[in-house]
Amino acid sequence: MSVASKQASPQPSISPVDLVEVPLPRLLADCDAEIYDSSITDAKFFGCAIQRKDGHIALAMPPAREAFERDTVARILLGKVLGIPMAPLPRSLRVGVAS
């Protein structure tokens, strides 16, 4: 997974609890985020996030993944982009942040 951030607009007020408990469609709306299907088919690619200058967050994710996996990865990516404190991720799951 990877995250790129170029922020200009204020960040939404999302708590770590919100990140986990709010239904994903509402969380995406609250964060001005949208999931797009990625054409990357590499089995090791789970997704990436890009925050535009206007604050909109684009999550590009492979479409053929299980719903639970897409939900979980979307939340991880949003948490990283927004700087929300999260528990450490397993070492096998690398999340890079570019600015």
Side-chain angles (χ1 to χ4, degrees), residues 19-67:
L19 185 64
V20 175
E21 293 184 358
V22 170
L24 187 58
R26 188 175 123 214
L27 182 64
L28 291 169
D30 290 350
C31 295
D32 188 22
E34 192 170 351
I35 297 176
Y36 299 89
D37 288 341
S38 170
S39 61
I40 298 173
T41 58
D42 184 327
K44 293 181 182 179
F45 176 74
F46 290 88
C48 70
I50 299 168
Q51 187 171 35
R52 298 179 190 155
K53 290 181 182 181
D54 67 1
H56 179 77
I57 301 169
L59 304 176
M61 302 172 67
R65 299 292 173 109
E66 299 280 332

Side-chain angles (χ1 to χ4, degrees), residues 60-71:
M61 302 172 67
R65 299 292 173 109
E66 299 280 332
F68 178 77
E69 183 178 291
R70 281 175 66 94
D71 182 278

Side-chain angles (χ1 to χ4, degrees), residues 19 73-86:
L19 185 64
V73 170
R75 293 170 189 278
I76 291 169
L77 292 171
L78 284 172
K80 287 293 184 177
V81 167
L82 298 173
I84 298 170
M86 298 185 294

